[in-house]
Amino acid sequence: MKTLVILISGRGSNLLSLLDAKLPGRIAAVISNRPEATGLAYAHERGIATRVLDHGAYPDRAGFDAALGDEIERHGGSSGRGPDLVLLAGFMRILSDDFVRRFSGRLLNIHPSLLPAFPGLKTHAQALAAGVRIHGCTVHFVTPALDSGPIVVQAAVPVQSADTVESLGERVLLEEHRIYPQAARWFLEGRLILNPEGRVELLGEGPPGPSLLAPVSA
Ligand code: GRF
């Protein structure tokens, strides 16, 4: 059975959706860079190992990222080089190129916009300020450039005229909770591949429902 490690920083609603999804893999650990992350309790309640690596305790990004990588690799998978899959679920740290390369092809992120629109933070405010009529969320492989890796799946959320950052964010979050477990499932089933050219391949059927998928399934 494949193993996965999930990284969080705070609330943990995406973590909860992954825990509840009964994924075809073993969640070996949940790691937070913040001791106060409420999401840690969700893992704890389910008997899943939790670890805290407080980034503030490290002198620089390289030191933290190296320690984080070592901790992740302790939770091994069948490959002998750590878990098969690492999920960033609201992990609010920019990761160094070295870290990203270390987990290349097995590192996914959920981002609350339809990338490449609105990378970075405050994505719902960005979307409202830009006046877009369609917003949403994206699961992508992580590459060194922030929020720019190959797209796995996206879900579209229409913007309503009365929307606030909060109301729009709530509807986007519901879609995040749908597409992130879906993408993780594909990966764990061996159907989701980042090929040597850096393109996403999905073997078999695409997603049910109003998601937008890249690429078209094989
Ligand atoms: C989510 O909107 C996620 O897309 C973004 O950070 C937020 C984390 O929320 N990267 P939660 O901790 O999963 O509730």
Side-chain angles (χ1 to χ4, degrees), residues 10-15 89-90 92 110-112 173 176:
R11 179 178 57 179
S13 71
N14 276 288
L15 167 65
M92 305 304 282
I110 178 86
H111 182 78
L173 195 61
E176 294 183 39

Side-chain angles (χ1 to χ4, degrees), residues 19-101:
L19 295 177
D20 287 346
K22 302 200 175 9
L23 294 171
R26 184 176 70 86
I27 301 175
V30 171
I31 304 174
S32 172
N33 66 311
R34 293 185 183 278
E36 71 278 13
T38 54
L40 287 168
Y42 298 134
H44 196 65
E45 284 160 8
R46 288 161 175 77
I48 295 168
T50 59
R51 299 280 185 276
V52 174
L53 262 76
D54 187 344
H55 62 273
Y58 293 83
D60 53 24
R61 186 179 303 282
F64 173 73
D65 282 9
L68 179 62
D70 290 347
E71 180 60 39
I72 292 169
E73 283 187 351
R74 287 186 51 239
H75 303 279
S78 46
S79 63
R81 52 175 193 143
D84 300 287
L85 176 63
V86 179
L87 298 174
L88 307 180
F91 186 68
M92 305 304 282
R93 294 273 309 166
I94 291 176
L95 292 162
S96 59
D97 292 7
D98 282 350
F99 180 96
V100 171
R101 283 198 201 94

Side-chain angles (χ1 to χ4, degrees), residues 11 13-14 92 110-114 117-138 155 157-160 163-176:
R11 179 178 57 179
S13 71
N14 276 288
M92 305 304 282
I110 178 86
H111 182 78
S113 78
L114 288 176
F118 316 133
L121 299 173
K122 298 190 189 322
T123 55
H124 311 312
Q126 289 189 60
L128 290 175
V132 295
R133 306 321 304 169
I134 306 282
H135 186 39
C137 49
T138 303
V157 175
V159 179
Q160 296 167 3
D163 261 330
T164 61
V165 165
E166 290 73 28
S167 64
L168 183 56
E170 275 173 27
R171 294 204 309 287
V172 171
L173 195 61
L174 289 177
E175 294 301 314
E176 294 183 39

